[in-house]
Amino acid sequence: MSALIILFGGFACLFLGYVTYGSWLSKQWGVDNSKPTPAHTLQDGVDYVPAKAPVLLGHHFSSIAGAGPINGPIQAAFFGWLPCLLWIIIGGIFFGAVHDYGALFASIRHKGASIGQIISENIGVRAKRLFIVFSYLTLLLVIAAFASIVAGTFNGFNAAGQIIEANGSTATISILFIAAAVVFGFCVYRKNLPLSVCTVVGILVLVGCIAAGLAFPIYIPGKTWMWILGVYILVASVTPVWILLQPRDYLSSFLLYAMMIAAVVGIIGAAPTVTMPAFIGFEVNGQYLFPVLFVTIACGAISGFHSLVSSGTTAKQLSCEKDAKLIGYGSMLVECALAIVSLITICYIFGQKGADAFKIPPTAVFASGIAQMLGSVGFDSPEAQKTAYGLLILSVSAFCLTSLDTATRLARYMFQEFWLNPGETPETVTGIRKTLCNKYVATIITVFLGLAFGMGGWAKVWPLFGASNQLLAGLALLAVAAWLKNAARNHKMMIFPMIFMLLVTLTSLFLSFKAKVGIIMAGQGDMTTAWMQAGLAAVLFILALFLVREAMPVLRSKKA
């Protein structure tokens, strides 16, 4: 099987899905470009700020991407490349893109409110508070993990105290890039300079930042970077979105676009033959295709985190309803395209190393695979290979940083909404709730808890993140389905994806709980971690059942 067939066949399916199914959803849901969006009706210059479609696409895509569409397909390919490809394409078109688009559209019809608020209005306040607690804890885990990952890619020294040149360069580039983004935002939103001109200049400045970073690396220990990142996300999550979040994410997206273009060029040039078996088995080394495949490949097919971005920052910046299809549905399919590229890279490395390819960290598989394939189109010198590999790692790091401060802002929104009753706003509450709803107080608490978790034991519960993330996707589909039903719109396209994702999650959580109970009963291994993971799995399982029970009366009602 030629990798080119996988590449272009997959891309064609995704494009066809966008043109046909995406357009059908818009008609079914009643997308109306004449309706003003919350970015205009509630514009406050901080969170609610209308953004041009290309800028918001860059923010949304950068925020949802992270390392997920790279890691997932590479880790799940031990089942064979065909199940991964089918889940990426089918899951992306009929599950993930529907989930992201639905969450975004539901949010803009609820004044830019989060999924939690949508649940409150369409299912109940109890369900809302439980959902927010779960989502907030999930976001704290994201903050902890991504802060640790970014600090690791910035860490200037290895365990032996020797400098890591690539990490030092990545740190310098990232700092310069943030400064450039602030200037870009000021030029576009305060000086009203043309976006096209600023984009060209911004890309040239980005290239300059890369050159400067390679020439002048910064060497700071990883722990120090954790504190620096804490200060950064504290500031970034409360500043107006136009000054940093919008321009930084927009410019960051060009890094990913360039990375994907380079990958496609490399794959076309190398035209590798896929020697990895198409299907290895339903059970491989004690891992079962259901539910493992559907939990492991999350961001490349469907991810609950996306619903928080769609209904958090993106909905507050959407300038007109017609942009929702491009940004909500389209961004997910571009992420699926990246997942297909990632799948091809593990197939390529598998052709060289066999099963040992799965022992290599996913980001290294991705970067080395693309760099080697680029060697077939002229980038074959040792220096060119080193540069290509470093820039690919930089791209992954940039998106982790983007997801980090977006997750912090989303967690702040969640924390504030938890204390609000129906019809209340942070400005109208009084007493202690007034303090807790203050965005600075909410942010400080969030950053403190996230960093404490990051420097402590986040890795002990990270194995359950995949299941919790997919549970979030199932619950978001449940929330949007309930709203569509109450609004007398077609909600049936949500039902099967919702049921499937809940079954995936509940099965995964049950198997995790069973495994950890086995460890506890045997009295072997890390008892603290086993108890923590077993308890969390049980809590998530019960939460899912409770929210489904709360939503059933709405979904069973006789409304159209």
Side-chain angles (χ1 to χ4, degrees):
M1 169 69 76
S2 170
L4 295 181
I5 296 176
I6 296 175
L7 181 73
F8 291 113
F11 283 11
C13 290
L14 296 175
F15 177 75
L16 187 62
Y18 177 79
V19 172
T20 58
Y21 199 60
S23 299
W24 180 77
L25 291 175
S26 298
K27 293 178 181 178
Q28 292 296 306
W29 295 343
V31 173
D32 185 354
N33 209 41
S34 66
K35 287 182 176 292
T37 63
H40 292 284
T41 59
L42 299 174
Q43 185 172 357
D44 60 6
V46 179
D47 296 319
Y48 291 84
V49 178
K52 295 181 173 68
V55 176
L56 188 54
L57 177 67
H59 156 67
H60 186 77
F61 186 40
S62 299
S63 297
I64 66 173
I70 294 172
N71 291 348
I74 291 174
Q75 291 173 323
F78 68 87
F79 288 112
W81 62 264
L82 184 58
C84 297
L85 180 64
L86 290 176
W87 174 233
I88 290 168
I89 294 174
I90 297 173
I93 294 172
F94 298 105
F95 288 66
V98 175
H99 165 272
D100 293 14
Y101 188 12
L104 175 58
F105 186 60
S107 180
I108 62 176
R109 288 296 178 89
H110 286 78
K111 300 181 180 180
S114 72
I115 292 294
Q117 199 65 26
I118 294 170
I119 287 177
S120 176
E121 294 185 24
N122 293 277
I123 298 177
V125 176
R126 286 189 308 173
K128 163 212 166 181
R129 290 206 166 112
L130 281 175
F131 179 85
I132 287 180
V133 169
F134 164 63
S135 300
Y136 186 74
L137 293 175
T138 301
L139 288 171
L140 286 181
L141 185 56
V142 171
I143 294 168
F146 278 38
S148 298
I149 291 170
V150 174
T153 61
F154 287 1
N155 183 12
F157 305 94
N158 61 21
Q162 300 169 319
I163 63 172
I164 307 175
E165 186 176 346
N167 287 12
S169 295
T170 299
T172 301
I173 294 168
S174 298
I175 292 173
L176 293 175
F177 185 54
I178 289 171
V182 171
V183 175
F184 182 94
F186 181 78
C187 291
V188 171
Y189 289 99
R190 286 299 177 265
K191 293 300 182 180
N192 296 316
L193 298 180
L195 178 63
S196 57
V197 174
C198 290
T199 298
V200 172
V201 174
I203 293 174
L204 293 176
V205 171
L206 175 58
V207 173
C209 291
I210 294 173
L214 294 174
F216 304 103
I218 297 174
Y219 301 112
I220 298 175
K223 287 187 178 181
T224 304
W225 274 119
M226 283 291 285
W227 290 109
I228 294 174
L229 287 170
V231 174
Y232 166 72
I233 60 177
L234 181 65
V235 175
S237 61
V238 295
T239 54
V241 292
W242 63 265
I243 195 65
L244 179 59
L245 184 138
Q246 282 184 0
R248 196 264 336 269
D249 293 357
Y250 173 61
L251 292 177
S252 289
S253 66
F254 286 99
L255 269 179
L256 194 141
Y257 299 148
M259 180 179 72
M260 292 184 65
I261 292 171
V264 171
V265 169
I267 293 170
I268 293 173
T273 298
V274 175
T275 59
M276 176 187 291
F279 179 65
I280 297 175
F282 287 101
E283 188 272 327
V284 180
N285 298 326
Q287 300 288 311
Y288 294 92
L289 188 143
F290 184 92
V292 173
L293 175 71
F294 307 100
V295 171
T296 305
I297 301 181
C299 290
I302 179 172
S303 168
F305 177 68
H306 295 187
S307 68
L308 301 184
V309 177
S310 293
S311 65
T313 54
T314 303
K316 294 176 175 64
Q317 302 171 64
L318 192 76
S319 185
C320 54
E321 286 198 356
K322 71 177 178 62
D323 292 342
K325 176 190 169 186
L326 171 66
I327 294 163
Y329 200 89
S331 289
M332 181 66 238
L333 296 188
V334 175
E335 192 165 0
C336 293
L338 177 57
I340 293 174
V341 169
S342 303
L343 180 61
I344 292 174
T345 62
I346 183 61
C347 291
Y348 180 77
I349 298 299
F350 182 91
Q352 300 173 348
K353 299 181 179 295
D356 288 340
F358 296 109
K359 298 178 183 179
I360 305 172
T363 51
V365 168
F366 181 80
S368 62
I370 292 178
Q372 290 177 40
M373 286 188 279
L374 283 172
S376 63
V377 292
F379 296 90
D380 53 351
S381 68
E383 188 62 30
Q385 286 284 294
K386 178 182 176 182
T387 301
Y389 182 89
L391 290 178
L392 289 164
I393 293 294
L394 168 66
S395 298
V396 176
S397 174
F399 289 104
C400 287
L401 182 60
T402 298
S403 298
L404 172 62
D405 62 55
T406 297
T408 307
R409 188 179 288 259
L410 293 173
R412 185 253 291 180
Y413 292 157
M414 289 284 183
F415 188 91
Q416 291 176 286
E417 285 186 6
F418 179 84
W419 308 103
L420 299 177
N421 294 316
E424 293 181 335
T425 67
E427 292 74 28
T428 60
V429 295
T430 58
I432 185 63
R433 290 196 296 142
K434 182 76 171 180
T435 301
L436 292 172
C437 288
N438 180 277
K439 69 178 181 180
Y440 299 106
V441 172
T443 304
I444 290 171
I445 292 173
T446 297
V447 171
F448 174 79
L449 292 175
L451 288 186
F453 205 17
M455 294 179 179
W458 69 269
K460 293 182 178 180
V461 294
W462 184 255
L464 286 175
F465 175 76
S468 64
N469 183 53
Q470 298 305 68
L471 171 59
L472 190 58
L475 297 177
L477 288 166
L478 178 68
V480 177
W483 166 65
L484 289 171
K485 186 68 182 276
N486 282 334
R489 293 188 175 92
N490 186 358
H491 70 289
K492 294 179 181 178
M493 73 289 292
M494 297 283 175
I495 300 302
F496 181 75
M498 175 193 74
I499 293 173
F500 184 81
M501 295 314 301
L502 289 174
L503 287 176
V504 164
T505 301
L506 295 176
T507 303
S508 178
L509 290 172
F510 174 77
L511 292 175
S512 296
F513 178 79
K514 181 180 177 182
K516 299 311 171 186
V517 168
I519 292 174
I520 294 170
M521 296 296 291
Q524 299 175 347
D526 186 344
M527 290 294 101
T528 301
T529 300
W531 275 106
M532 186 183 302
Q533 292 181 357
L536 182 57
V539 169
L540 294 178
F541 192 96
I542 294 170
L543 170 66
L545 294 180
F546 177 82
L547 286 173
V548 170
R549 189 193 71 176
E550 291 283 300
M552 279 302 101
V554 176
L555 297 179
R556 287 175 176 171
S557 68
K558 294 184 179 180
K559 293 180 181 179

